[in-house]
Amino acid sequence: MERVARNLMNQFSDMPLEQTQTVFFRWARRLRLRMEHLFLHKGFILLIIGFLLGRALILSKITPFALPFFAAVYMMQRDKAGLAFIALAAGALTLSFETTLFIFASMFGFLLFNHITKKFVNDSIKAMPFVVFFTSFSVKLTMIYFLNNNWNAYEIVMTFVESGLSFILTLIFLQSIPLLTVHKRKQLLKPEEIISITILLASMLTGTIGWSFYDLSLEHVMSRYLVLLLAFVAGATIGSTVGVVIGLILSLANVDSLYQMSLLAFAGLLGGLLKDGNKIGASFGLIVATLLIGLYGEGKTEIIPTMIESVLAVLLFLLTSKSLTEKIAKHIPGTVEYANEQQQYVRKIRDVTAHRVAQFSKVFQALANSFSKYGFASEEDYQEREIDYCLSDIVGKTCQTCFKKEQCWSQHFDTTYEYMKQIMLEADAKKLNHQLLREWDKHCIKSKKVVELIEKEVSYYQANKKLHKQVNESRKLVAEQLMGVSQVMGDFAEEIQRERENHYLQEEQILEALQEFGVEIGHVDIYSLEKGNVDIEMSIPYCDGRGECEKLIAPMLSDILGETIVVKREECAAYPNGYCHVTFGSAKAFVIETGVAHAAKGGGLISGDSYSMIELSSGKYAIAISDGMGNGERAHNESNETLKLLQQILQTGIEEKVAIKSINSILALRTTDEIFSTLDLAIIDLQDASTKFLKIGSTPSFVKRGDKVIKIEASNLPMGIIKEFEFEVVSEQLKAGDLLIMMSDGIFEGPAHVENYDVWMKRKIKELQTNDPQEVADLIMEEVIRTCSGRIEDDMTIVVAKIKRNTPKWATIPAYAYMKKAQ
């Protein structure tokens, strides 16, 4: 050993300091892991617990701890029951022969009764406390009878009390034993579990009664250390509770220690209250409690030994490593360490989720790339290959049996191939050149038969070429859709990664400004200060419906943050002295006021037109009109289904163009009937009023700005006609006060005896004397119907939207200039 130690010292002396520290920490970690494996996995901690519980007594004669401990270990970890048996027996041997005999007999009796009970009861764990009670009661009475040859009332009552305690301790140990012997990385301790562990530890401390050094009691030092540790980790509530529990159990074990319950409870309370002063503050709480209770005890105990015991407990507490206190705190709800651990766990789950979503995004992107043109032959290569295939079949049917085969395909290969290829291309275009046929007739002795076969094979060539084109178009469409899904999932992965930002400085500044203004605030939590996406939560005292949030706080926040802030959500207090919880957020710069007028053909009930106003989560507002082909229920279902698909896809965040292409593919593939739909879509950004128009086979829209009328149109085919679908997007910057007028063809082309619909509609819109959206919609529809002599020749739908600035009811209230920093 000396030689090994000397070699280690020499090895460390030759190492640099950083390397020495690395090796030391590695060895320390290995030692910790081995000790953890030895005590937790191998169960050697049960030897310590069992030995102390085998010595534990109440009123110097009652031993209710041993049998419940053995029963709990036997039921929860049967492979380690032997260790518990040895430990309990060893602890009992240090007391007396009678105690040892009782513990031995009760454990053997438990095994017997438990084996019998299993035959009649299915749930042995629920029956366990009753088996322990019956075993303890019967074994104790049997021992008393054999030792004293009779029973008296006092002994029977004490036996009943001991058995009742065993019954209760069994329930407690069944909860606490797994917590100390099973290692779980994520283990939340409930309040009742904390109390159960405390009772187990206090029961172990009773096993140290009688162990003293220079009149200093070990159980007093360890009990105070335990209370101090838990008060520092979990606070005053847990500290005082643990103090009461430990003090009560120690008092039951030794009546002279009754004052310990008061001392420990008071020490736990003061230690928890002073925990903000770190270990020194909590230790000071124990010293103060010891002095006060020691003086109160007067002649019951001497103050100096008690103070020394408390000082020793403080020294043990100060020597306790920070890692141990943090590890304990991670399992107790309400502690900062527990909150950090939970936050770290949530962050880890969030990162894993974001990573998986990002992986799915890459998968969809890879699928999109696989459906793109990459890796496939170009149109030219495909055409050349198909021509070669067709010519090969023709040559096999004609030239293989011809005596001039060698001359045509060996001596004049290029000439023969070019002649046949040119004939096939002209046959495909249905423009056969007579000059080419005459030249081919001179070159080939079977010219007519070859030309006939070429004309016959051209139909197969055309069918293959058409099929290839359709496959390419479908591949391209699928690739675009997959790429759109990939982009949405990628954005979602980035959104998951966003955390609540820390705005402690801004929270303090806002709180100070509001309090200086005379508004009492409970707390301020800022989740986002992003322009247009402000998210702030506050708690304010109950205002009895005076509207302080909307009238005072929101205007002040508007001035502080430089943008309009409104009340998004408010939860009023349930009682007058409580607090209301309010959420403030950014108001949209613009709001949309709409009006709609619609009518079915001939005054029917079902119109082939459908319309929708959709407020998207991205701060945008969408207005859409869809016109199904024809009239009646079938056209209505087609247009209504188009808008439903559009709404669902847009709300996922997919780009508008990809969404419309997806709808087009669905409409094109869903049915073989010629059912088409138009779509007139306007997407308005509520922050700056910029608008995108996507007009798919629809009529023009108009914007009325004062006396000026702006026409917005685009030439795009209706959806569902062709699969190869491209369209243009028209952008327009709207302003406050503008009227956006969107209509179906029944309105635009409805007026009778009108040659130029554009001029007529612009004139009617310009002549309007009102800016109310609903009145505008009603007046235009009424004018169209009047031109048709009151007849409704087609389905009619008109949607009018007015762009208005969002002006809150309450203006801003000036706050302090320095508060602009909060932005």
Side-chain angles (χ1 to χ4, degrees):
M1 287 295 293
E2 293 181 0
R3 187 170 66 248
V4 173
R6 191 180 302 108
N7 291 335
L8 289 175
M9 292 297 294
N10 294 334
Q11 182 180 356
F12 279 117
S13 63
D14 295 336
M15 288 183 181
L17 179 59
E18 294 182 358
Q19 188 175 358
T20 302
Q21 291 177 345
T22 303
V23 173
F24 175 77
F25 287 128
R26 187 183 298 121
W27 282 9
R29 182 173 179 273
R30 288 179 181 176
L31 179 61
R32 181 179 62 81
L33 291 176
R34 288 180 180 178
M35 295 295 292
E36 185 176 286
H37 178 75
L38 183 66
F39 280 90
L40 293 182
H41 297 283
K42 294 295 184 180
F44 278 80
I45 192 174
L46 297 176
L47 290 175
I48 301 174
I49 300 174
F51 181 79
L52 293 176
L53 292 180
R55 286 179 42 83
L57 296 174
I58 291 180
L59 300 177
S60 302
K61 60 190 307 183
I62 298 177
T63 57
F65 303 103
L67 181 57
F69 174 72
F70 177 77
V73 173
Y74 181 80
M75 293 303 300
M76 307 305 294
Q77 294 182 331
R78 185 166 301 182
D79 57 326
K80 299 180 178 61
L83 293 176
F85 184 90
I86 295 172
L88 290 169
L93 287 172
T94 62
L95 293 177
S96 64
F97 174 76
E98 183 179 348
T99 303
T100 305
L101 181 61
F102 170 70
I103 291 178
F104 265 98
S106 60
M107 288 189 290
F108 282 112
F110 166 77
L111 294 175
L112 176 62
F113 290 134
N114 182 65
H115 180 72
I116 297 173
T117 305
K118 282 184 178 180
K119 297 180 179 180
F120 304 98
V121 180
N122 293 327
D123 195 344
S124 56
I125 293 182
K126 290 184 178 180
M128 186 62 55
F130 299 96
V131 175
V132 170
F133 176 86
F134 180 77
T135 302
S136 177
F137 189 79
S138 58
V139 171
K140 192 71 171 182
L141 285 182
T142 303
M143 285 187 59
I144 292 174
Y145 182 81
F146 278 106
L147 293 176
N148 301 329
N149 294 324
N150 62 351
W151 292 311
N152 56 50
Y154 173 78
E155 290 174 340
I156 294 175
V157 170
M158 292 303 295
T159 301
F160 184 81
V161 170
E162 182 175 356
S163 302
L165 290 174
S166 298
F167 179 91
I168 297 172
L169 288 170
T170 303
L171 296 173
I172 294 172
F173 288 170
L174 284 173
Q175 287 193 68
S176 56
I177 293 297
L179 300 176
L180 292 178
T181 57
V182 179
H183 179 68
K184 292 183 181 179
R185 191 168 298 275
K186 300 295 180 186
Q187 182 168 288
L188 168 63
L189 295 181
K190 302 175 183 177
E192 56 270 20
E193 292 176 337
I194 296 175
I195 301 301
S196 298
I197 294 177
T198 303
I199 293 175
L200 176 61
L201 295 176
S203 303
M204 293 170 57
L205 289 178
T206 58
T208 64
I209 292 178
W211 293 359
S212 61
F213 180 75
Y214 288 105
D215 295 331
L216 301 177
S217 178
L218 178 63
E219 75 268 16
H220 292 169
V221 175
M222 295 306 298
S223 62
R224 294 172 196 180
Y225 166 74
L226 185 60
V227 170
L228 191 58
L229 178 64
L230 291 176
F232 174 73
V233 168
T237 304
I238 297 295
S240 57
T241 304
V242 169
V244 170
V245 172
I246 295 178
L248 176 62
I249 293 178
L250 291 179
S251 300
L252 291 175
N254 187 0
V255 179
D256 293 336
S257 299
L258 187 59
Y259 78 98
Q260 290 289 328
M261 182 168 62
S262 302
L263 191 153
L264 295 175
F266 194 28
L269 177 63
L270 290 181
L273 293 175
L274 298 176
K275 62 174 293 188
D276 291 337
N278 297 324
K279 287 186 176 181
I280 300 298
S283 301
F284 181 73
L286 175 61
I287 299 299
V288 171
T290 305
L291 287 172
L292 293 177
I293 301 298
L295 293 174
Y296 171 77
E298 294 180 352
K300 293 184 178 179
T301 182
E302 296 181 1
I303 187 65
I304 294 177
T306 303
M307 279 299 301
I308 295 175
E309 290 170 348
S310 295
V311 170
L312 290 176
V314 168
L315 291 176
L316 283 176
F317 174 65
L318 295 176
L319 292 174
T320 302
S321 64
K322 185 179 179 181
S323 61
L324 178 60
T325 58
E326 290 179 348
K327 189 173 183 180
I328 296 174
K330 288 179 181 179
H331 301 287
I332 300 178
T335 61
V336 176
E337 290 79 6
Y338 172 78
N340 293 336
E341 182 75 7
Q342 292 298 109
Q343 187 176 6
Q344 184 178 359
Y345 178 72
V346 171
R347 190 182 295 115
K348 182 179 179 181
I349 296 297
R350 180 209 63 194
D351 293 341
V352 170
T353 305
H355 179 67
R356 292 297 300 274
V357 173
Q359 284 182 327
F360 281 118
S361 175
K362 292 179 180 178
V363 169
F364 279 105
Q365 187 175 4
L367 290 173
N369 293 333
S370 68
F371 276 95
S372 65
K373 291 184 178 181
Y374 178 76
F376 295 88
S378 62
E379 289 293 334
E380 293 79 8
D381 294 338
Y382 174 78
Q383 186 174 2
E384 289 289 338
R385 188 171 64 249
E386 287 296 319
I387 290 175
D388 289 343
Y389 288 156
C390 290
L391 293 181
S392 297
D393 292 339
I394 294 170
V395 169
K397 296 176 181 179
T398 56
C399 299
Q400 288 293 341
T401 59
C402 182
F403 67 93
K404 293 185 66 177
K405 173 185 175 183
E406 187 71 20
Q407 179 182 352
C408 294
W409 291 103
S410 296
Q411 300 177 9
H412 304 94
F413 176 83
D414 293 339
T415 303
T416 306
Y417 178 81
E418 287 298 328
Y419 271 131
M420 294 184 69
K421 178 181 178 181
Q422 189 64 29
I423 293 173
M424 185 172 182
L425 292 176
E426 290 185 359
D428 181 32
K430 298 182 180 180
K431 295 180 179 179
L432 281 174
N433 189 344
H434 295 287
Q435 179 65 28
L436 177 63
L437 293 177
R438 285 194 294 269
E439 293 178 2
W440 172 248
D441 189 50
K442 295 177 182 179
H443 182 78
C444 178
I445 63 172
K446 296 182 178 181
S447 58
K448 292 184 178 180
K449 183 177 181 180
V450 171
V451 171
E452 289 176 359
L453 284 174
I454 288 176
E455 291 178 340
K456 184 178 179 180
E457 290 292 332
V458 161
S459 60
Y460 297 108
Y461 167 73
Q462 291 174 341
N464 290 336
K465 188 169 65 172
K466 183 178 180 181
L467 179 62
H468 177 72
K469 184 179 180 181
Q470 291 177 344
V471 170
N472 283 343
E473 291 174 356
S474 300
R475 263 204 340 255
K476 183 179 179 182
L477 180 62
V478 172
E480 290 179 351
Q481 294 172 344
L482 290 173
M483 189 62 71
V485 174
S486 172
Q487 183 179 356
V488 170
M489 297 187 75
D491 295 339
F492 181 56
E494 294 179 359
E495 188 70 24
I496 293 175
Q497 291 283 15
R498 295 178 184 174
E499 291 185 338
R500 176 182 180 268
E501 302 176 10
N502 293 324
H503 299 287
Y504 301 117
L505 178 61
Q506 291 86 343
E507 289 173 3
E508 291 296 328
Q509 290 175 340
I510 291 176
L511 187 62
E512 182 180 351
L514 295 174
Q515 289 177 345
E516 288 290 335
F517 194 78
V519 179
E520 184 181 353
I521 301 295
H523 79 281
V524 177
D525 288 329
I526 299 178
Y527 292 90
S528 174
L529 288 179
E530 181 183 352
K531 193 73 173 178
N533 192 31
V534 173
D535 188 5
I536 302 175
E537 289 187 0
M538 291 187 188
S539 61
I540 64 171
Y542 181 70
C543 64
D544 196 18
R546 293 189 296 271
E548 291 181 1
C549 301
E550 184 181 13
K551 299 175 184 177
L552 291 178
I553 301 177
M556 288 186 67
L557 290 176
S558 300
D559 183 73
I560 291 171
L561 301 175
E563 64 173 297
T564 305
I565 305 297
V566 296
V567 176
K568 292 290 187 180
R569 186 173 63 256
E570 184 175 5
E571 297 179 7
C572 293
Y575 48 92
N577 294 328
Y579 278 83
C580 301
H581 297 280
V582 189
T583 301
F584 297 91
S586 299
K588 305 303 180 185
F590 295 89
V591 293
I592 309 297
E593 183 181 347
T594 59
V596 180
H598 59 95
K601 181 180 179 180
L605 299 177
I606 300 177
S607 172
D609 297 344
S610 297
Y611 64 91
S612 179
M613 279 82 79
I614 313 164
E615 185 164 358
L616 304 178
S617 58
S618 56
K620 296 180 180 180
Y621 193 88
I623 303 173
I625 298 177
S626 180
D627 183 3
M629 178 180 164
N631 308 102
E633 184 175 358
R634 190 172 186 182
H636 171 76
N637 292 336
E638 196 69 28
S639 61
N640 190 47
E641 187 69 20
T642 300
L643 291 187
K644 283 184 179 180
L645 289 171
L646 177 68
Q647 181 174 353
Q648 292 174 356
I649 296 176
L650 286 179
Q651 287 178 343
T652 63
I654 292 181
E655 186 183 6
E656 296 85 1
K657 295 184 69 173
V658 178
I660 292 176
K661 286 187 176 183
S662 302
I663 296 173
N664 177 74
S665 65
I666 294 172
L667 295 178
L669 297 174
R670 186 176 56 187
T671 178
T672 57
D673 297 338
E674 294 184 349
I675 297 296
F676 315 126
S677 294
T678 67
L679 179 64
D680 194 358
L681 175 64
I683 299 179
I684 307 170
D685 192 325
L686 298 179
Q687 291 299 334
D688 57 9
S690 61
T691 307
K692 291 181 180 179
F693 292 91
L694 292 88
K695 309 184 78 61
I696 314 300
S698 61
T699 58
S701 298
F702 298 90
V703 176
K704 184 176 186 293
R705 184 176 297 160
D707 294 334
K708 185 179 179 182
V709 178
I710 304 170
K711 178 184 175 183
I712 299 171
E713 63 178 343
S715 56
N716 298 312
L717 289 174
M719 293 186 296
I721 294 181
I722 58 174
K723 297 178 183 179
E724 185 65 22
F725 188 70
E726 295 292 340
F727 56 90
E728 61 176 325
V729 178
V730 180
S731 298
E732 184 70 30
Q733 180 63 52
L734 301 184
K735 299 180 180 180
D738 286 354
L739 283 177
L740 171 60
I741 303 171
M742 301 169 61
M743 62 193 72
S744 64
D745 58 352
I747 293 288
F748 183 72
E749 300 174 358
H753 312 296
V754 174
E755 295 183 0
N756 194 322
Y757 297 114
D758 288 348
V759 175
W760 187 87
M761 188 60 67
K762 282 185 177 180
R763 179 167 56 85
K764 291 299 178 182
I765 293 175
K766 191 174 182 179
E767 292 174 353
L768 291 171
Q769 300 297 318
T770 179
N771 285 329
D772 182 79
Q774 188 59 53
E775 292 181 2
V776 170
D778 293 338
L779 288 173
I780 293 177
M781 176 167 282
E782 182 181 352
E783 188 69 26
V784 172
I785 296 175
R786 185 181 291 113
T787 62
C788 298
S789 303
R791 297 189 303 273
I792 302 176
E793 302 291 345
D794 194 4
D795 296 325
M796 296 182 178
T797 300
I798 179 170
V799 178
V800 181
K802 183 177 182 180
I803 316 300
K804 298 173 61 178
R805 285 203 175 273
N806 186 18
T807 304
K809 186 184 299 183
W810 303 96
T812 59
I813 298 177
Y816 301 98
Y818 70 88
M819 286 300 301
K820 293 292 183 181
K821 298 178 181 178
Q823 298 183 51

